[in-house]
Amino acid sequence: MDVPNREIIGRYLRHAKRFPHIWCPGCGNGIVLGCLLRAIDALGWNKDDVVLVSGIGCSSRAPVYVDFNTLHTAHGRALAFATGIQMVRPKLHVVVIMGDGDAVGIGGNHFIHACRRNIDMTAVVINNFIYGMTGGQQSPTTPQGALSSTSVYGTLDQPFDIAGLAASAGATFSARSTTYHVKELEKLLKAAFRHKGFSVVEAIAACPTTYGRRNRQGGAVDMMKWQKKVAVSAKRAAGMTPEELHGRIVTGVLVDRDAPEYTEEYDRIRRAAAEGKRVAFRSQPGDVTSTRAKEY
Amino acid sequence: MSAEGSREALLQGNEAVVEGAVAVGCSFYAGYPITPSTEVAEGLAARLPATGGTFLQMEDEIASIAACLGASLAGAKAMTATSGPGFSLMQELVGYAAIAEIPFVLVNVMRYGPSTGLPTSPSQGDVMQARWGTHGDHPIIVLTASSVREAFDMTVKSFNLAEKYRSPVILLLDEVVGHMREKVKLPAPEAVERLERIHPSTPPEWYAPYEETNTGVPPMAAFGDGYRFHVTGLVHDRMGFPTQKKSEIVQGTNRLYRKIERGFREICMTDGVGLEDARTVVVAYGSVARSAQQAVEEMRDQGKPVGLLRLRTLWPFPRAAFERILDGVDDILVCELNRGQVYREVLRVSRGRCEVHKHTRTDGEMITPAEIVRALRERI
């Protein structure tokens, strides 16, 4: 009954063309890509209908290895490219794979605006707390006090909570897991892909080469053990105090709600425009106060 | 509405861009508001959804050009419009479009710069930025227009060249052309030339999205058509996959240039007044060419051997048009709203065969016919 993992992954790789890959031993990117492929396989998506879009960085090299429509864009801009694709061909499954610097550093503006538009696509953000490809500079998610090649006395800046940022910016599905919790990560990706609207899955991953070594986190295995140790499910976290949650990574689904999907809503605009009419909306021009904070 | 389906309208240049885009089949616009280009966005915000297309106001100019490139990869004819500050922000992805060979049109209604500059006085200060604004060696097609009707025609031309050459095309208008109103006769929709990119005729397993072809332009599939190809801003091989092999690097870059060079005759557009007997030629483009034309006609009425060479294409620089006149003229006077960006190109192509002068203006005002007449009188 169970198909071997190797066989599932093998269905989707661009064989003999793009290997060996560029990722270091112990890198979490391959684990996330594996989860992504198994989730797509489980949903039975046709390869021709999948577009995998990325920006720049280690994780953004993922698309070249897999046999979908693949687009390796510029640093931070993957979501904006993906928006154009999804608007023109809403039936395609657009999945955007980014790193932490890509998604919420240089691409932060695109990230929050993609969240508020609620276009039916999925952003997979691999968060390894560091700019790996350029050799270990502080990123927007580097924990305060952590060392990097550009924060040699400790990182001063407060880190972003990516999945939380997505939720508060209006993403209708936001979840987080780690590369230790492969089964959960795969499940969350599947749920995100199934979700109608903009979904975000943050995957905490290890970069032993540029983050672990400098911060004395041990090797790849030790960093995975750390993920296991600090992870706490959203359900359990709900009953914990901020003090208890300090230094923990909340995993699971943070937000899952229904809201009108952008490309479908845009079709309403097209139909009305063709008839020269205005479109009816639930809210009115005077409804400027956001109620989203309460929902979240 | 006349019998042939053409119609008359009182339009400004930016509105003519909208009409041209709709006429040539543009179905996607993404942009960010900026004067003096905003009327292009406003016009298409009304027109595109009504015809099944997409208008998106993005969070910034970088997102705007990125969305256009995504839309083009999905098969749409896509466009954005902006002005100086926004044009600067878009530069990185102009280079992406060049190396990934993604057709799309960028309209830049030039305003006085650098930076916020003089919002929103006219300028032609972005000629060199349009050529070299993005990093690295790359070919680019840059057109311009002098009238409202020509803004329509050049928008159509921009899309057609973009599709035919799989290249970004920049349409450089100046604020005067963007905002001035003229009565124009627009052609019937069926009279508008509409070129489409070449789609692959090979089965997907044979498709090489960046293969060598006779024209240098590879066929282009759209995402979702079953071809499953890879697109990257990295230097790539004929399959689109990253390469560091010297032979493939050189071949790819050479083909980028070759495909545009093969099209020089079609791409490099100029016209003129009195070039057959002129000893002094005024070179101008955009709104300045209108003033120059009046000045030249006045001088010719007085029997002076003066002519006008009007540039409709700025890049690739229309060198052949200069080769045709250089042996017969004593003087060239380049008139432009910058400190001499095209002037230096004319110096370069004339190689000392005639005197080259400039009359420029950079105070936020346009160049008048009287000024050009004065500048000409100083010389003849």
Side-chain angles (χ1 to χ4, degrees):
Chain A
M1 182 70 192
D2 270 0
V3 184
N5 181 45
R6 198 177 50 182
E7 198 174 304
I8 297 174
I9 302 292
R11 286 174 193 156
Y12 296 95
L13 296 183
R14 280 176 167 144
H15 292 280
K17 284 181 189 161
R18 296 300 109 200
F19 293 92
H21 60 66
I22 67 159
W23 296 324
C24 304
C27 172
N29 289 338
I31 299 172
V32 180
L33 184 59
C35 290
L36 184 145
L37 293 178
R38 286 190 295 276
I40 286 176
D41 190 73
L43 293 175
W45 284 356
N46 186 327
K47 287 182 195 176
D48 288 339
D49 299 334
V50 180
V51 188
L52 191 60
V53 186
S54 70
I56 295 291
C58 295
S59 56
S60 287
R61 290 300 182 96
V64 76
Y65 304 124
V66 289
D67 187 20
F68 301 123
N69 302 282
T70 53
L71 175 60
H72 176 222
T73 72
H75 200 17
R77 318 303 169 201
L79 282 168
F81 275 78
T83 299
I85 296 167
Q86 190 73 20
M87 287 305 292
V88 172
R89 300 216 175 187
K91 290 204 169 67
L92 294 179
H93 305 295
V94 179
V95 177
V96 182
I97 190 161
M98 297 173 284
D100 42 296
D102 202 35
V104 297
I106 190 167
N109 200 23
H110 310 311
F111 186 75
I112 56 174
H113 284 270
C115 290
R116 88 181 164 98
R117 280 191 197 101
N118 199 34
I119 299 183
D120 188 20
M121 51 192 194
T122 301
V124 181
V125 187
I126 303 180
N127 179 4
N128 61 6
F129 312 111
I130 201 81
Y131 284 93
M133 186 167 263
T134 45
Q137 295 75 34
Q138 61 174 328
S139 92
T141 60
T142 304
Q144 274 187 320
L147 303 177
S148 77
S149 72
T150 51
S151 54
V152 288
Y153 308 107
T155 297
L156 187 58
D157 308 40
Q158 203 187 151
F160 266 135
D161 164 357
I162 295 177
L165 174 67
S168 54
T172 47
F173 183 97
S174 180
R176 185 193 289 118
S177 190
T178 82
T179 51
Y180 175 82
H181 304 83
V182 274
K183 287 289 174 194
E184 183 190 42
L185 184 57
E186 189 182 317
K187 202 179 79 191
L188 292 175
L189 284 167
K190 221 185 302 176
F193 294 159
R194 275 207 193 99
H195 176 78
K196 190 91 190 157
F198 189 71
S199 51
V200 175
V201 177
E202 177 185 357
I204 303 293
C207 177
T209 307
T210 70
Y211 185 82
R213 194 156 49 185
R214 193 183 293 264
N215 286 288
R216 301 187 183 280
Q217 303 283 297
V221 175
D222 301 307
M223 293 180 80
M224 298 273 275
K225 284 180 178 161
W226 171 82
Q227 290 172 9
K228 181 189 178 194
K229 195 177 94 190
V230 298
V232 52
S233 74
K235 207 182 271 177
R236 256 186 64 205
M240 292 167 72
T241 65
E243 291 72 34
E244 289 169 326
L245 279 172
H246 182 78
R248 307 298 295 268
I249 291 170
V250 180
T251 62
V253 177
L254 305 187
V255 170
D256 184 1
R257 64 185 174 91
D258 290 327
E261 193 276 322
Y262 196 86
T263 60
E264 289 182 3
E265 288 293 283
Y266 206 97
D267 264 338
R268 287 209 301 143
I269 300 257
R270 290 190 186 107
R271 283 195 296 275
E275 294 169 14
K277 289 185 193 150
R278 273 188 65 173
V279 182
F281 286 94
R282 277 188 308 178
S283 54
Q284 297 299 314
D287 300 347
V288 291
T289 318
S290 171
T291 55
R292 198 168 286 143
K294 277 180 235 157
E295 288 170 21
Y296 176 46
Chain B
M1 191 78 80
S2 78
E4 305 85 44
S6 63
R7 60 196 172 93
E8 285 189 340
L10 178 68
L11 295 179
Q12 59 170 206
N14 286 344
E15 291 166 349
V17 169
V18 172
E19 295 299 327
V22 171
V24 75
C26 169
S27 64
F28 186 93
Y29 180 99
Y32 187 83
I34 185 167
T35 316
S37 74
T38 307
E39 294 84 0
V40 179
E42 290 173 336
L44 287 168
R47 297 287 292 279
L48 286 179
T51 53
T54 303
F55 169 91
L56 285 183
Q57 183 168 316
M58 297 299 287
E59 51 273 18
D60 58 32
E61 284 89 348
I62 303 173
S64 301
I65 177 171
C68 285
L69 298 185
S72 182
L73 285 166
K77 287 186 182 176
M79 180 175 101
T80 187
T82 188
S83 188
F87 191 47
S88 294
L89 286 173
M90 290 180 181
Q91 289 302 332
E92 183 192 3
L93 293 184
V94 171
Y96 189 94
I99 194 170
E101 299 179 71
I102 305 172
F104 97 106
V105 175
L106 193 171
V107 180
N108 173 17
V109 188
M110 289 180 282
R111 67 188 231 187
Y112 194 102
S115 190
T116 315
L118 274 181
T120 49
S121 297
S123 161
Q124 294 175 320
D126 302 352
V127 172
M128 281 295 169
Q129 192 189 14
R131 178 67 194 87
W132 295 115
T134 197
H135 58 282
D137 284 321
H138 63 284
I140 193 82
I141 298 172
V142 181
L143 310 183
T144 183
S146 297
S147 68
V148 171
R149 171 59 204 257
E150 200 180 23
F152 176 94
D153 292 337
M154 288 313 231
T155 303
V156 170
K157 200 81 192 170
S158 295
F159 275 98
N160 287 339
L161 293 178
E163 294 289 317
K164 182 170 178 180
Y165 292 94
R166 264 190 83 170
S167 171
V169 174
I170 296 169
L171 176 58
L172 274 190
L173 301 181
D174 56 72
E175 189 272 345
V176 179
V177 172
H179 278 164
M180 75 178 169
R181 287 185 182 277
E182 294 184 287
K183 186 168 124 179
V184 289
K185 197 170 186 179
L186 297 180
E190 59 277 14
V192 174
E193 185 183 35
R194 293 168 73 141
L195 296 183
E196 310 293 334
R197 64 192 67 166
I198 301 162
H199 295 275
S201 51
T202 50
E205 59 273 24
W206 294 352
Y207 180 52
Y210 297 96
E211 70 182 339
E212 279 285 351
T213 62
N214 288 339
T215 59
V217 185
M220 185 174 178
F223 283 161
D225 280 351
Y227 285 83
R228 298 205 303 272
F229 58 107
H230 184 65
V231 178
T232 177
L234 289 165
V235 171
H236 41 265
D237 61 18
R238 57 193 289 278
M239 298 307 289
F241 297 128
T243 182
Q244 297 192 336
K245 276 192 203 146
K246 287 187 184 67
S247 58
E248 289 174 343
I249 297 167
V250 172
Q251 189 181 18
T253 312
N254 284 350
R255 185 177 56 70
L256 280 189
Y257 273 88
R258 187 163 58 83
K259 71 175 181 180
I260 303 295
E261 283 161 8
R262 281 181 60 98
F264 269 7
R265 285 172 71 114
E266 173 187 34
I267 298 168
C268 296
M269 294 172 281
T270 60
D271 61 15
V273 175
L275 290 175
E276 54 293 339
D277 62 359
R279 306 290 303 174
T280 299
V281 168
V282 179
V283 171
Y285 53 95
S287 65
V288 180
R290 301 289 287 275
S291 297
Q293 182 167 346
Q294 191 179 326
V296 165
E297 281 167 0
E298 269 177 41
M299 296 289 277
R300 287 185 73 82
D301 287 346
Q302 295 161 21
K304 306 283 194 220
V306 173
L308 167 68
L309 176 62
R310 191 171 71 94
L311 311 182
R312 304 177 71 205
T313 301
L314 294 177
W315 304 108
F317 197 69
R319 186 178 195 134
F322 285 87
E323 293 299 334
R324 284 194 287 275
I325 63 164
L326 272 170
D327 289 329
V329 304
D330 305 322
D331 289 280
I332 287 177
L333 177 68
V334 183
C335 298
E336 55 185 331
L337 292 174
N338 57 52
R339 293 178 74 93
Q341 298 187 16
V342 165
Y343 163 73
R344 288 188 203 97
E345 274 308 292
V346 176
L347 270 181
R348 184 175 70 83
V349 301
S350 63
R351 286 179 298 170
R353 284 188 278 170
C354 68
E355 292 281 314
V356 182
H357 313 280
K358 61 176 174 171
H359 176 75
T360 63
R361 209 167 159 169
T362 52
D363 61 353
E365 296 292 328
M366 60 181 290
I367 295 175
T368 63
E371 278 173 53
I372 299 174
V373 168
R374 265 201 307 280
L376 285 169
R377 287 227 170 93
E378 281 170 21
R379 285 177 181 81
I380 47 174

